[in-house]
Amino acid sequence: MIWNEEYETLPREALEALQLKRLQNLVERVYATVPFYRKKLDEAGVRPEQIKSLDDLRRLPFTTKQDLRDNYPFGLFAVPKEQVVRIHASSGTTGKPTVVGYTKRDINTWAEIMARTFQAAGVGKGDVLQNAYGYGLFTGGLGAHYGAELIGASVIPISGGNSKKQIMIMQDFGTTAISCTPSYALNLYEVAEELGISLKKLPVKVGVFGAEPWTNEMRKEIEEKWGIDAIDIYGLSEVIGPGVAFECVEAKNGMHINEDHFLVEIIDPETGEQLPYGEKGEIVFTTLTKEAIPLIRYRTRDITRLIKAPCICGRTFVRMEKVMGRSDDMLIIRGVNVFPSQIESILMETKGILPHYLIIVDRENNLDTLEILVEVNEEFFSDEIKKLQQLETSIEKSIKEMIGISAKIRLVEPKTIERSQGKAKRVIDKRKI
Ligand SMILES: [Zn+2]
């Protein structure tokens, strides 16, 4: 199902013409209204009228999360405060949060792109959507909510947490679609199992999962356990929230970027240079239509690549692959770049392993150590020690082969690793560097 046939299937040429017009308008707008951008553009020696083609994008300066922090709370807003109808903020792990604002039109844009997202997942009028993304300052809950209402689904604004109640509502209200983080979906499965409820027997047919990176192996796991299609979506609050990109249920292979609203590029995170199409690097977005807090070349720190091939669903929007990791929480262990997702892939391919793990990085005698706590299923754990040791050794060998460094695997009983109600914490880095 395509929500907005006209835009989502625009021929490339027409799309690029639209993008250029919007880009020119954007640069003019921020130059006139945001002192931060006027200064940055002056420093880069670029004037708005010099933007003549989409290639000129590379002449524009980047925006980083630090820039948002430095201009806390409203320094990057491009409209007077009375035009801002909503304010969200992303939880700051250190210090102040990052603040974003929306005009009435921004809220409509957001609902539109989330409507596209849900339709692409096969959710429509008549569906009952249990929205278990967190409501509040976090953009997930309300972002999904407005889009789902726009398509005419019945939305249950249950928010995250309270898993037993989630299961009860799911049974009693006839939920047909759920939206939450993928790790929370696994958490819900366990709770249902404890209650003796088979999710497969419920009418839920699709899950729209995002807000944290996850692998295709984890997708398979969720699909089997829930008996649903598991769809990946992408977004971040600085750019708008959820809805920046979404998978179609037909292909489930890469997320279509809403290119009429977001201009995408992939750069080398070290040099900042644009990379050729299809290469792996950091994904960067320019918001083409956002009014309250438009951003030029926002560095997401997410590592992925673009897929050029046309999609079977008929959309012309380019796709991005699943996020493989972040350029800033990428672990460097003994000089080797390690993405937690690489480790996750290995674990998910191993029989007897549950999708719950914790990566612990430490330093002993000036040498980095990598330890991974992994849960195994009940029957495996009650087996003889020798079998467990064999399993540990075999995982250690696979990790060594894939990422080139040794890890200590420690198999633990089911449900010993702390569960998340939102984004899962998978890495503990104890090193003081
Ligand atoms: Zn598609």
Side-chain angles (χ1 to χ4, degrees):
M1 282 192 282
I2 297 184
W3 173 253
N4 191 328
E5 193 90 37
E6 186 193 345
Y7 282 92
E8 292 180 72
T9 61
L10 261 187
R12 201 76 220 163
E13 212 171 298
L15 178 63
E16 286 180 1
L18 178 72
Q19 287 179 321
L20 177 61
K21 214 175 83 195
R22 288 180 169 177
L23 177 66
Q24 288 167 328
N25 176 284
L26 166 77
V27 178
E28 255 170 51
R29 202 151 39 90
V30 296
Y31 193 78
T33 56
V34 186
F36 165 84
Y37 276 123
R38 175 182 284 262
K39 186 164 168 276
K40 274 214 158 192
L41 287 162
D42 283 343
E43 279 167 8
V46 194
R47 297 199 50 87
E49 59 273 18
Q50 289 172 317
I51 304 301
K52 302 248 188 266
S53 75
L54 288 178
D55 267 348
D56 291 325
L57 179 66
R58 66 181 78 201
R59 303 175 58 183
L60 299 172
F62 290 113
T63 311
T64 64
K65 200 176 177 72
Q66 191 57 43
D67 293 327
L68 274 93
R69 287 202 191 103
D70 292 345
N71 290 280
Y72 176 86
F74 308 131
L76 292 186
F77 281 24
V79 297
K81 275 269 290 299
E82 59 267 27
Q83 287 182 32
V84 175
V85 300
R86 177 99 64 81
I87 295 167
H88 279 285
S90 68
S91 52
T93 36
T94 47
K96 304 267 191 194
T98 324
V99 179
V100 289
Y102 302 79
T103 63
K104 220 171 182 100
R105 217 183 96 190
D106 290 337
I107 295 288
N108 290 340
T109 304
W110 197 11
E112 153 80 18
I113 57 177
M114 276 311 292
R116 294 179 188 178
T117 301
F118 281 119
Q119 286 262 285
V123 182
K125 202 173 161 62
D127 272 306
V128 178
L129 174 79
Q130 186 156 336
N131 187 20
Y133 283 118
Y135 281 67
L137 280 179
F138 172 59
T139 49
L142 283 168
H145 185 106
Y146 277 57
E149 278 190 353
L150 187 59
I151 57 169
S154 312
V155 187
I156 308 169
I158 192 160
S159 197
N162 208 343
S163 305
K164 280 185 184 158
K165 190 171 168 194
Q166 299 264 4
I167 308 279
M168 181 190 80
I169 296 277
M170 211 178 289
Q171 285 182 298
D172 296 350
F173 292 12
T175 299
T176 58
I178 182 151
S179 46
C180 60
T181 59
S183 54
Y184 191 53
L186 285 169
N187 182 270
L188 284 175
Y189 170 81
E190 282 184 345
V191 175
E193 218 187 16
E194 271 169 27
L195 297 170
I197 294 158
S198 164
L199 293 179
K200 276 188 179 174
K201 293 198 180 123
L202 299 183
V204 189
K205 59 176 185 185
V206 62
V208 178
F209 303 120
E212 66 185 12
W214 51 309
T215 55
N216 277 320
E217 289 79 6
M218 191 154 159
R219 182 209 304 268
K220 246 177 40 208
E221 183 100 30
I222 294 173
E223 291 191 328
E224 278 166 20
K225 289 188 157 158
W226 279 70
I228 58 172
D229 282 311
I231 301 294
D232 195 7
I233 66 171
Y234 177 83
L236 59 172
S237 63
E238 294 85 351
V239 175
I240 200 160
V244 176
F246 57 84
E247 275 183 341
C248 55
V249 69
E250 294 93 327
K252 278 198 262 180
N253 177 21
M255 295 169 278
H256 290 284
I257 296 164
N258 280 301
E259 287 187 278
D260 50 339
H261 295 289
F262 310 106
L263 191 53
V264 63
E265 53 187 323
I266 299 280
I267 63 161
D268 178 332
E270 302 288 321
T271 64
E273 289 297 314
Q274 262 185 15
L275 291 174
Y277 219 100
E279 274 192 33
K280 190 169 93 176
E282 180 180 334
I283 192 160
V284 171
F285 290 101
T286 297
T287 66
L288 292 173
T289 53
K290 223 158 54 134
E291 293 181 330
I293 178 165
L295 297 181
I296 290 178
R297 303 189 83 194
Y298 183 71
R299 293 196 54 169
T300 64
R301 301 286 172 183
D302 285 330
I303 302 291
T304 182
R305 69 164 72 86
L306 299 179
I307 303 170
K308 203 172 195 168
C311 187
I312 49 167
C313 70
R315 289 178 182 82
T316 50
F317 291 159
V318 72
R319 284 172 289 165
M320 58 183 274
E321 278 186 9
K322 268 181 173 300
V323 171
M324 301 162 194
R326 287 177 55 82
S327 68
D328 58 355
D329 75 8
M330 178 179 75
L331 295 161
I332 302 179
I333 303 170
R334 280 170 243 157
V336 177
N337 294 346
V338 178
F339 289 113
S341 61
Q342 292 175 300
I343 293 173
E344 189 187 286
S345 306
I346 295 168
L347 298 177
M348 293 291 125
E349 278 164 16
T350 313
K351 213 171 152 272
I353 292 288
L354 298 173
H356 300 284
Y357 63 92
L358 185 65
I359 298 168
I360 302 167
V361 189
D362 207 345
R363 185 164 282 181
E364 275 173 33
N365 305 323
N366 292 318
L367 192 69
D368 292 340
T369 58
L370 171 62
E371 183 183 31
I372 305 163
L373 266 54
V374 189
E375 287 186 12
V376 285
N377 65 30
E378 208 84 57
E379 41 190 270
F380 224 105
F381 205 81
S382 54
D383 266 343
E384 53 191 290
I385 302 278
K386 207 176 138 203
K387 262 182 100 177
L388 285 174
Q389 282 170 345
Q390 276 170 354
L391 184 59
E392 284 176 350
T393 313
S394 108
I395 299 172
E396 284 170 1
K397 198 168 153 252
S398 306
I399 287 180
K400 175 92 187 173
E401 267 168 18
M402 180 153 178
I403 58 181
I405 55 172
S406 310
K408 175 86 199 87
I409 301 295
R410 201 142 58 82
L411 300 176
V412 296
E413 282 185 72
K415 296 178 189 147
T416 42
I417 294 170
E418 202 189 322
R419 297 296 187 260
S420 74
Q421 303 275 306
K423 292 192 191 199
K425 187 163 176 58
R426 305 255 192 228
V427 181
I428 295 177
D429 197 340
K430 294 178 171 169
R431 295 173 296 181
K432 293 187 178 61
I433 300 169

